[in-house]
C-alpha cells in the first residue's frame, strides 16, 4: 500500500506531527509509521542562485556588469542544509511514496519552502495541503481529516516566488550599484529602503520643527477645572499679553453654569490580535522588539501549543471556529484569568466582536488554543506575550465599556470655560485589564482631559478658587518606536488618500510575517540605532536615503508592489506581468545610481587604521555594542570595541559594557562604575561562583560578540522578504 510523505518546515513541528500520526520508527531525516513518512526542512533548503551562477563575471562587483537580469531564475540547494535536502529528496523518490502532504507553515513563505524543495527534487507526485492554525493534537488530527488539494494553493506559491524574484532583482542590483558607485558597504531593498526613508523623513521633520510657547486660561473650581475656549473652540494663545488681558477681565468674577450635557456612551472591546497589533502592544508595554515578539509567539505556537498561528493579518475568526470558544475559555480559566473566564462561561459566550467571515484572510486572529498553560515552562517573554493574547481574547468576548460623558459650559462674563467628565456605569471589557488601561479615546495632549465632575445644575452659580495662566510648548512629531513604525509600515503615510479605493489587498510595506526582519536588518546594516525605545537614523542611513533613487524611497510604490503580490495570490494579477515590471524597475534604478552625482561621505572615520588594508576604520554602533569596521567592501575587517554584556553593575544594577583586549579588558557602567576583568572574576568567586561559571559566562560573551560582529559583507547580499 502506498505511503504518504508529510513535509514539515522544521524538525520540531515534524516530530509533533509524526507523534500524532503514529510514526515512531526513525530513519535518515524522517520518522516512519504504517501509512505515513514524516520528514522536514530546516527552513529553506533551496534558494535562488547567486549572480555568479549565471555568469562568472558576476564574481567581481563592477558597475559595467549591471543590471543583472537573468532570463530564467535558477534554484540551488543551500550548502549548509544540503544533507537534509538529500534526505528529503531521496524520500520523495521512494517507490512506495504515493503522494505528498505539504505541512509547512500555512502561509506564503511556508508554501515557497515546500514547492521549491519539490521543484528542485523533480517530484511530480500528487500534492495535498495541511492548512491548520494551531499545533495542538486536535488541530493536527482535524487538519489531516480535511486535507485540501495542492492546486488550491498554486496562486499562493506564484505570489511567493514573485516576491522572492522581485527582492533578488531589486535588492542585489541596487546593492551592487550603490556599493560599487561609492566604494562603501551599502545595501538597499524593495521594502527595507522605503521603511528607512520613513524614519529619516521623521527625523528631518523633528530637525525643522520650531517649538512655540502657548498659553491657556484654566479656572479651578472645587473638585474640577475648566479651560477657556473662544467661539472657534480654540483654547490656546500664542501671545501672552492676550492671555493676561483676558485674565484681568475674568479675575474675581463668579461663573454661571450655562449648559450641561450628559450622554450615555458605549466603547466596544478592541478586536482580537493580529501579529502587527500584538507586536505594537508588546513594544509599548514591555519594550520588546518586533523580532522578540515574533520569536516568543513562534515558541508559544510550535512548542507550547498555547496560541494559534502567529503570522496573520486578520483580527477576526470565522463561524466554524466560534463553537470552540467555550473550550478555549475553559483552558485559560486559571490563575489571574480564572474569575473573568468563569464569568464569561456562566453566560452565553458573546462572539459578536470576534466573528466576521468577511474579514478573515488565510488565517484567523491570534487566540489561545484549547491547551492549558504550564507557566513554569514559559520564559519571561513568552509569559508576557501569552498574557497579552489571553487578556485580549477575554476582552473581545466581554461586554462593552459603558459610561456617561458629561460636558459643561460655564460663563464668566461673556467668556466660556469648558469642562468634560466621565462617570463609569459598567467597566465591561476594561475589567479584564484591572482598569489599568489608559483611555484610548483620550488625547494625552488635550487641554480638556476627562475628569470626575460633581453634579452641576444649569443656571447655578460657582465661585472659582482661582483662574490662572498655564503655559506650554508645541511639541515636534515623536520619533518612531518599533510600535509606531509597524503602524506606518501597515499604513504608509505617503500613500494617496483615496477613500474610494477598493483594494483587494490593502497597500502596505511588507507583511506581518516579514516586518520584524526588515526592522532588524536596519540595525544590522547600521542605518538605524535605538535610543531607549526611539529609532534614530544614523548618518549612514540618512545619506543612503539621499543617494538612492527617488522611486526606491517611495512607500507608495513599494506598497503597490506588495498589494499586487496579494492579488497574485488571489489569482487577480499574472505573476509574469509583475516580474516584467520589476525587471524594468530594477534596470531603471541601477541607471539612476550610476548617473547620480550625489556624494557619500563617511563621517564616522576614526584614527585607527585597518591592519589588513591600511584604510581608516569606521566607528559604528551595533545592536549589542560598538565596533570598528573597514569601509572597503573587499577587505571586510571588523573588530569589537565594546559589548553590552549580561553582567550587572553592583551599584546601579544596569548592564555592564565590556571594553579593551587581553589583560586590559574592563567592565564599565553608565553610572561611572569601572571594574577590571580580574577583579570581576574574583568578585564572582567570592559570591559563590566558581571558575567554571566564569568560563561559561566568558564563552557566552564571546558567542555574543561573534553574533554582533556577524558577516557584514554577507548581509549586503541579503534580500528583503
Amino acid at each position: 500500500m502506498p505511503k504518504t510523505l508529510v513535509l514539515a518546515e522544521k524538525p520540531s513541528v515534524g516530530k509533533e506531527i509524526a507523534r500524532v500520526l503514529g510514526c515512531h520508527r526513525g530513519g535518515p531525516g524522517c520518522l516512519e509509521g504504517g501509512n505515513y513518512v514524516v520528514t522536514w526542512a530546516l527552513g529553506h533548503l533551496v534558494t535562488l542562485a547567486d549572480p555568479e551562477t549565471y555568469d562568472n563575471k558576476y564574481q567581481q562587483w563592477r558597475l559595467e556588469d549591471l543590471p543583472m537580469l537573468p532570463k530564467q531564475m535558477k534554484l540551488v540547494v543551500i550548502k549548509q542544509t544540503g544533507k537534509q535536502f538529500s534526505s528529503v529528496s531521496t524520500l520523495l523518490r521512494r517507490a512506495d511514496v504515493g503522494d505528498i502532504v505539504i505541512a509547512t507553515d500555512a502561509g506564503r513563505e511556508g508554501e515557497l519552502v515546500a514547492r521549491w524543495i519539490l521543484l528542485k527534487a523533480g517530484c511530480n507526485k500528487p500534492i495535498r495541503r495541511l492548512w491548520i492554525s494551531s499545533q495542538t493534537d486536535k488541530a493536527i488530527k482535524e487538519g489531516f481529516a480535511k486535507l485540501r488539494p495542492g492546486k488550491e494553493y498554486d496562486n499562493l506559491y506564484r505570489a511567493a516566488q514573485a516576491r522572492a524574484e522581485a527582492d533578488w532583482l531589486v535588492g542585489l542590483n541596487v546593492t551592487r550599484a550603490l556599493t560599487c558607485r561609492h566604494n562603501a558597504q551599502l545595501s538597499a531593498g524593495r521594502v527595507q529602503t522605503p521603511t528607512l526613508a520613513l524614519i529619516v523623513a521623521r527625523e528631518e521633520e523633528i530637525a525643522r520643527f520650531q517649538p512655540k510657547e502657548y498659553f491657556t486660561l484654566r479656572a479651578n473650581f472645587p473638585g474640577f477645572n475648566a479651560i477657556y475656549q473662544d467661539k472657534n473652540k480654540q483654547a490656546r494663545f500664542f501671545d501672552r499679553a492676550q492671555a493676561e488681558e483676558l485674565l484681568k477681565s475674568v479675575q474675581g468674577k463668579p461663573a454661571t453654569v450655562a449648559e450641561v450635557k450628559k450622554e450615555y456612551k458605549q466603547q466596544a472591546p478592541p478586536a482580537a490580535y493580529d501579529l502587527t497589533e500584538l507586536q505594537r502592544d508588546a513594544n509599548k508595554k514591555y519594550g520588546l522588539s518586533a523580532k522578540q515578539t515574533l520569536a516568543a509567539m513562534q515558541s508559544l505556537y510550535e512548542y507550547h501549543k498555547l496560541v494559534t498561528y502567529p503570522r496573520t493579518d486578520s483580527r477576526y475568526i470565522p463561524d466554524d471556529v466560534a463553537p470552540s470558544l467555550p473550550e478555549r475559555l475553559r483552558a485559560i480559566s486559571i490563575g489571574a484569568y480564572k474569575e473573568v473566564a468563569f464569568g464569561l462561561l456562566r453566560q452565553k459566550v458573546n462572539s459578536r466582536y470576534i466573528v466576521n467571515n468577511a474579514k478573515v484572510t488565510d488565517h484567523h486572529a491570534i487566540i489561545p488554543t484549547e491547551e492549558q498553560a504550564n507557566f513554569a515552562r514559559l520564559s519571561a517573554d513568552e509569559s508576557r506575550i501569552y498574557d497579552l493574547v489571553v487578556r485580549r481574547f477575554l476582552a473581545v468576548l466581554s461586554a462593552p465599556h459603558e459610561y456617561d460623558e458629561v460636558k459643561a459650559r460655564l460663563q464668566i462674563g461673556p467668556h466660556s470655560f469648558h469642562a468634560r467628565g466621565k462617570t463609569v456605569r459598567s467597566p465591561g471589557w476594561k475589567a479584564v485589564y484591572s482598569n489599568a488601561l489608559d483611555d484610548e479615546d483620550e488625547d494625552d495632549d488635550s487641554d480638556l482631559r476627562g475628569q470626575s465632575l460633581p453634579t452641576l445644575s444649569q443656571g447655578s452659580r460657582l465661585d472659582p478658587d482661582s483662574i490662572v495662566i498655564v503655559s506650554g510648548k508645541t511639541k515636534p512629531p515623536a520619533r518612531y518606536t518599533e510600535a509606531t513604525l509597524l503602524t506606518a509600515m501597515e499604513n504608509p503615510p505617503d500613500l494617496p488618500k483615496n477613500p474610494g479605493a477598493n483594494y483587494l489587498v490593502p497597500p502596505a510595506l511588507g507583511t506581518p510575517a516579514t516586518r520584524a526582519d526588515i526592522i532588524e536588518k536596519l540595525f544590522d546594516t547600521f542605518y538605524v540605532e535605538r535610543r531607549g525605545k526611539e529609532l534614530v537614523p544614523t548618518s549612514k542611513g540618512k545619506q543612503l536615503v539621499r543617494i538612492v533613487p527617488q522611486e526606491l524611497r517611495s512607500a507608495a510604490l513599494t506598497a503597490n508592489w506588495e498589494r499586487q503580490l496579494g492579488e497574485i495570490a488571489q489569482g487577480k494579477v499574472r505573476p509574469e506581468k509583475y516580474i516584467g515590471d520589476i525587471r524594468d524597475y530594477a534596470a531603471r534604478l541601477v541607471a539612476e545610481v550610476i548617473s547620480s552625482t550625489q556624494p557619500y561621505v563617511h563621517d564616522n572615520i576614526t584614527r585607527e587604521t585597518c591592519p589588513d588594508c591600511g584604510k581608516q576604520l569606521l566607528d559604528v554602533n551595533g545592536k549589542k555594542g560598538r565596533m570598528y569596521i573597514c569601509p572597503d567592501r573587499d577587505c571586510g575587517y571588523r573588530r569589537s570595541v565594546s559589548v553590552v554584556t549580561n553582567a550587572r553593575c553592583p551599584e546601579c544594577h544596569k548592564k555592564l559594557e565590556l571594553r579593551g583586549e587581553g589583560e586590559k579588558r574592563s567592565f564599565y557602567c553608565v553610572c561611572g562604575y569601572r571594574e577590571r576583568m580580574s577583579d570581576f572574576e574574583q568578585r564572582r568567586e567570592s559570591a559563590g561562583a566558581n571558575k567554571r561559571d566564569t568560563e561559561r559566562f566568558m564563552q557566552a560573551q564571546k558567542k555574543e560578540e561573534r553574533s554582533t560582529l556577524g558577516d557584514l559583507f554577507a548581509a549586503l547580499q541579503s534580500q528583503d522578504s
Side-chain angles (χ1 to χ4, degrees), residues 4-6 14-24 31-38 101 103 130 140-141 144-145:
T4 295
L5 180 70
V6 180
K15 289 170 184 176
E16 285 299 302
I17 292 174
R19 180 182 58 77
V20 173
L21 296 178
C23 300
H24 305 298
L31 288 165
E32 190 165 350
N35 300 318
Y36 294 96
V37 180
V38 180
V101 169
L130 176 70
I140 292 171
K141 289 175 183 176
F144 271 90

Side-chain angles (χ1 to χ4, degrees), residues 82-340:
K83 183 178 179 181
Q84 183 61 16
F85 174 80
S86 179
S87 297
V88 174
S89 184
T90 300
L91 292 168
L92 288 168
R93 291 194 297 267
R94 262 176 48 171
D96 63 339
V97 169
D99 66 338
I100 314 298
V101 169
I102 294 177
T104 49
D105 280 357
R108 189 170 78 183
E109 207 61 24
E111 196 68 24
L112 190 66
V113 167
R115 296 296 187 106
W116 272 359
I117 291 171
L118 298 177
L119 185 61
K120 190 63 177 174
C123 178
N124 295 311
K125 294 178 180 179
I127 297 171
R128 289 181 291 168
R129 191 46 159 113
L130 176 70
W131 196 269
I132 55 178
S133 289
S134 64
Q135 293 289 334
T136 63
D137 291 10
K138 178 183 176 183
I140 292 171
K141 289 175 183 176
E142 290 179 352
F144 271 90
K146 300 176 182 177
L147 293 172
R148 293 149 82 168
K151 65 181 180 181
E152 289 185 12
Y153 299 91
D154 286 350
N155 284 329
L156 184 65
Y157 163 56
R158 293 184 185 108
Q161 178 154 305
R163 192 280 306 160
E165 292 184 6
D167 288 339
W168 193 103
L169 291 165
V170 174
L172 294 193
N173 273 297
V174 179
T175 290
R176 286 201 177 200
L178 288 167
T179 300
C180 294
R181 173 70 179 77
H182 300 284
N183 192 29
Q185 295 178 338
L186 300 172
S187 66
R190 184 181 58 89
V191 181
Q192 169 192 323
T193 304
T195 302
L196 173 62
L198 292 177
I199 300 172
V200 171
R202 177 61 57 85
E203 195 69 17
E204 290 173 348
E205 282 184 70
I206 294 169
R208 290 193 301 267
F209 181 81
Q210 297 292 329
K212 291 183 179 180
E213 189 173 19
Y214 66 85
F215 309 92
T216 59
L217 238 62
R218 187 179 71 206
N220 299 313
F221 296 92
F224 74 102
N225 59 62
I227 300 295
Y228 165 79
Q229 286 186 348
D230 65 18
K231 293 179 181 179
N232 297 318
K233 302 296 184 183
Q234 296 299 311
R236 296 178 178 182
F237 296 92
F238 289 96
D239 183 348
R240 187 180 182 95
Q242 284 184 308
E244 289 176 343
E245 184 179 342
L246 179 62
L247 177 61
K248 289 177 184 177
S249 70
V250 297
Q251 196 73 269
K253 293 182 179 180
T256 302
V257 179
E259 186 179 22
V260 179
K261 288 183 178 179
K262 184 176 182 180
E263 185 179 359
Y264 167 75
K265 288 193 173 183
Q266 282 190 351
Q267 185 180 359
Y273 278 126
D274 64 4
L275 178 58
T276 301
E277 180 74 3
L278 179 61
Q279 287 170 322
R280 275 196 289 259
D281 278 6
N283 183 254
K284 288 178 186 175
K285 188 168 183 180
Y286 300 117
L288 295 177
S289 70
K291 188 172 184 178
Q292 287 173 317
T293 299
L294 180 55
M297 276 296 295
Q298 282 293 130
S299 180
L300 289 168
Y301 167 67
E302 292 178 6
Y303 180 67
H304 300 290
K305 303 183 180 183
L306 294 176
V307 300
T308 56
Y309 185 73
R311 297 168 185 260
T312 177
D313 60 357
S314 176
R315 302 185 66 182
Y316 298 88
I317 63 172
D319 288 330
D320 59 358
V321 177
S324 71
L325 294 176
E327 190 175 353
R328 296 172 194 269
L329 279 171
R330 282 189 285 273
I332 60 175
S333 298
I334 54 174
Y337 321 121
K338 185 175 181 178
E339 184 179 345
V340 177

Side-chain angles (χ1 to χ4, degrees), residues 25 56 66 74 110 135 228 267 335 390 445-446 454 584 636 665 700:
R25 189 169 67 253
N56 287 334
L66 300 177
K74 297 178 181 179
Q135 293 289 334
Y228 165 79
Q267 185 180 359
V390 171
D445 292 324
S446 174
D584 293 342
R665 299 184 94 187

Side-chain angles (χ1 to χ4, degrees), residues 365-512:
I366 298 169
I367 58 176
T369 66
E370 301 89 341
E371 298 284 317
Q372 194 166 89
N374 180 351
F375 292 101
R377 297 177 60 197
L378 303 184
S379 70
D381 285 353
E382 289 165 355
S383 295
R384 288 168 171 170
I385 298 303
Y386 184 65
D387 181 72
L388 286 175
V389 172
V390 171
R391 289 187 187 275
R392 178 58 65 91
F393 178 65
L394 292 170
V396 77
L397 297 178
S398 298
H401 174 66
E402 299 177 67
Y403 62 96
D404 290 322
E405 183 179 72
V406 182
K407 293 181 180 179
R409 178 169 59 86
L410 299 96
Q411 289 292 128
I412 304 179
H415 305 294
S416 295
F417 286 73
H418 294 257
R420 186 174 70 193
K422 177 178 175 180
T423 303
V424 175
R425 288 191 176 195
S426 172
W429 63 268
K430 290 200 174 188
V432 174
Y433 296 95
S434 302
N435 298 317
L437 281 183
D438 292 327
D439 286 339
E440 295 179 5
D441 57 340
E442 297 289 357
D443 181 0
D444 287 341
D445 292 324
S446 174
D447 296 312
L448 282 171
R449 296 176 183 171
Q451 57 191 318
S452 294
L453 292 182
T455 302
L456 299 174
S457 302
Q458 188 168 339
S460 62
R461 172 175 159 162
L462 298 172
D463 291 317
D465 291 336
S466 63
I467 303 177
V468 296
I469 294 175
V470 179
S471 65
K473 285 189 176 181
T474 56
K475 296 178 181 179
R479 285 194 175 103
Y480 282 114
T481 63
E482 286 206 32
T484 55
L485 182 60
L486 286 166
T487 300
M489 293 176 76
E490 190 175 40
N491 300 287
D494 69 344
L495 283 179
K497 302 302 181 221
N498 181 9
N502 183 22
Y503 292 123
L504 286 163
V505 180
L509 290 176
T511 66

